[in-house]
Amino acid sequence: MTHTPHPTGPGTSTGPGTGIDTAPVTGIDTASRPPHAADADERLRRWRLVLGGGAAEGTGCELSGRDAAMDRTLGALYGGGRSGQGESGGAERSAGLGGSAPRVARWLGDIRTYFPSSVVSVMQRDAIDRLGLSALLLEPEMLEAVEADVHLVGTLLSLNRAMPETTKETARAVVRKVVADLEKRLATRTRATLTGALDRSAKTYRPRHRDIDWDRTIRANLRHYLPEHGTVVPERLVGYGRADQAVKKDVVLCIDQSGSMAASVVFASVFGAVLASMRSIDTKLVVFDTAVVDLTDALDDPVDVLFGTQLGGGTDINRALAYCQSLITRPAETVVVLISDLYEGGIRDEMLRRVAAMKASGVQFVALLALSDEGAPAYDREHAAALAALGAPAFACTPDLFPEVMAAAIEKRPLPIPEA
């Protein structure tokens, strides 16, 4: 029998790769046994929970109490056999969720009892993928039972058009909770990083002493170096500009809303709302598949932005970039961020010509293959190489790195591209 090891996550006290609570083995008096024997029992217990029981697993470890209940919970998702007792005496895992809403609701409660929230999120995602539970998320009672995270939001957005009215308010509450958590995590650092970048990018030649940019000042006055005194006499001071209410930069976020980009859409919507809250940045947000939708007017509320998307469908990057070009009025002060896996269904050569034209006019062009915590997705390597040849390298970006990427683009310095 083949078994799938269950997920792990922070908050579990485990041996390598188990993710299982390390309570003493049920029914074994570890206090009266030598330490090495107790360790061996604990290793057997962990392996038994990973392997799932049955004659083939070979541990001979019998589970009871909390361990047996945990094993049944894992077996409902990852097991492949029928319910019942394995030859080792433990409950053999079986895929027992089916399409029963009450049973799924109980299971969702069980996994939150036995596992930390990080592991719960992984198991929920696996349940949706492995057991086809997406339809059950259309029921308000089910949504109230799940652990809300970015991936659940992506699933809900993909079901948006099929969602009954009775479920939509519950779904919006779930999405709003995730968005609020992301804003709390990301907003302060993003504003601080970009405010500093905006101030540094606005040079002034009559700075106050505390605003002098000494690196730029020294470089600008090297010809006035006095070797006999070993010093530079600065005839011209270069300083940081002070923040004011004027719009200093225009930012256009152009987001691919194909199904594979769900997490990126969620993060990009949150960042779009944060950027829109900064008076010195004029932010526009565009989403696309084979059609283009401008969601700039909804940027006050990222939840409205997310429910304005429609995950899935084809991809026409060329059409989306054509629309973005029409929004550019100050090329030298504009940053365009394309977030896409670059699988182009439109006119490839025309897309590349648009990128080249934008860069030639002074636009800072950033191409992100993903904006998520999961690393680089599958992407079109040929298109990525073509963009790199134009001076616009395409790379995946975590949400924590995104403020630094934007700061570099605003200051027109090399992007902090993560190592592959």
Side-chain angles (χ1 to χ4, degrees):
M1 179 167 59
T2 302
H3 300 278
T4 305
H6 64 272
T8 62
T12 55
S13 176
T14 72
T18 63
I20 298 169
D21 178 25
T22 55
V25 179
T26 305
I28 297 178
D29 182 9
T30 57
S32 62
R33 295 167 63 88
H36 68 276
D39 290 344
D41 290 337
E42 181 59 21
R43 284 196 297 272
L44 284 176
R45 168 186 171 270
R46 294 177 180 179
W47 276 114
R48 165 63 183 81
L49 283 166
V50 169
L51 295 173
E57 49 96 337
T59 65
C61 180
E62 183 175 346
L63 301 178
S64 60
R66 181 184 175 88
D67 285 346
M70 185 186 298
D71 190 57
R72 286 192 295 271
T73 302
L74 292 167
L77 176 57
Y78 298 108
R82 64 182 185 278
S83 299
Q85 295 293 314
E87 293 182 25
S88 64
E92 186 172 326
R93 295 188 188 175
S94 59
L97 294 179
S100 167
R103 186 175 301 167
V104 174
R106 286 195 299 273
W107 180 81
L108 288 169
D110 287 344
I111 63 175
R112 293 170 81 169
T113 298
Y114 299 130
F115 303 100
S117 59
S118 56
V119 178
V120 169
S121 295
V122 175
M123 294 180 73
Q124 285 179 172
R125 203 183 322 159
D126 287 347
I128 292 169
D129 293 341
R130 293 165 63 95
L131 303 179
L133 300 184
S134 297
L136 293 177
L137 294 178
L138 301 179
E139 301 181 17
E141 300 80 6
M142 197 65 59
L143 278 179
E144 291 171 355
V146 296
E147 188 83 17
D149 67 354
V150 169
H151 300 283
L152 177 64
V153 170
T155 301
L156 292 177
L157 296 179
S158 68
L159 298 171
N160 185 23
R161 298 298 184 268
M163 196 175 290
E165 290 299 322
T166 54
T167 306
K168 283 190 175 180
E169 282 308 309
T170 306
R172 288 184 73 89
V174 170
V175 173
R176 191 170 296 282
K177 178 181 182 300
V178 174
V179 166
D181 289 344
L182 291 177
E183 283 187 306
K184 189 182 302 182
R185 166 189 162 188
L186 302 170
T188 301
R189 181 166 174 266
T190 300
R191 291 192 185 101
T193 301
L194 296 190
T195 297
L198 289 163
D199 288 348
R200 287 190 296 271
S201 67
K203 293 184 293 186
T204 178
Y205 296 100
R206 297 182 63 185
R208 301 174 186 176
H209 183 270
R210 64 183 176 181
D211 297 329
I212 295 173
D213 183 340
W214 289 109
D215 286 340
R216 285 176 174 167
T217 296
I218 291 170
R219 286 198 299 270
N221 292 275
L222 285 176
R223 65 180 179 274
H224 305 302
Y225 177 69
L226 301 179
E228 64 273 20
H229 297 288
T231 188
V232 171
V233 177
E235 291 188 358
R236 184 181 66 167
L237 299 176
V238 181
Y240 303 125
R242 304 298 295 170
D244 55 34
Q245 301 300 313
V247 173
K248 296 178 181 177
K249 292 290 179 180
D250 299 331
V251 173
V252 182
L253 298 177
C254 185
I255 309 169
D256 183 345
Q257 60 176 352
S258 57
S260 61
M261 302 296 294
S264 298
V265 172
V266 176
F267 282 114
S269 299
V270 172
F271 276 119
V274 173
L275 295 178
S277 71
M278 300 177 65
R279 294 183 180 179
S280 53
I281 298 178
D282 181 26
T283 306
K284 294 180 173 59
L285 188 143
V286 176
V287 298
F288 67 94
D289 41 34
T290 52
V292 180
V293 180
D294 191 328
L295 295 177
T296 302
D297 290 342
L299 273 174
D300 287 342
D301 188 347
V303 176
D304 287 341
V305 170
L306 289 170
F307 277 92
T309 64
Q310 184 173 353
L311 295 179
T315 307
D316 192 338
I317 302 173
N318 178 53
R319 175 177 290 186
L321 292 182
Y323 180 79
C324 291
Q325 271 187 301
S326 72
L327 301 176
I328 297 172
T329 57
R330 303 188 305 155
E333 305 301 331
T334 299
V335 179
V336 174
V337 183
L338 171 66
I339 304 174
S340 173
D341 54 17
L342 302 180
Y343 286 110
E344 170 66 316
I347 306 172
R348 173 186 182 275
D349 291 342
E350 186 68 20
M351 174 193 78
L352 296 174
R353 280 196 292 271
R354 290 190 190 282
V355 174
M358 280 189 274
K359 286 187 64 63
S361 69
V363 170
Q364 299 297 301
F365 189 90
V366 179
L368 301 181
L369 302 171
L371 179 56
S372 71
D373 288 312
E374 299 185 325
Y379 63 95
D380 190 307
R381 296 179 181 275
E382 183 179 348
H383 287 165
L387 287 176
L390 295 174
F395 57 96
C397 176
T398 64
D400 289 334
L401 180 63
F402 185 72
E404 298 297 334
V405 170
M406 291 300 298
I410 286 171
E411 295 183 70
K412 301 183 179 180
R413 54 182 170 85
L415 302 179
I417 300 173
E419 295 182 5

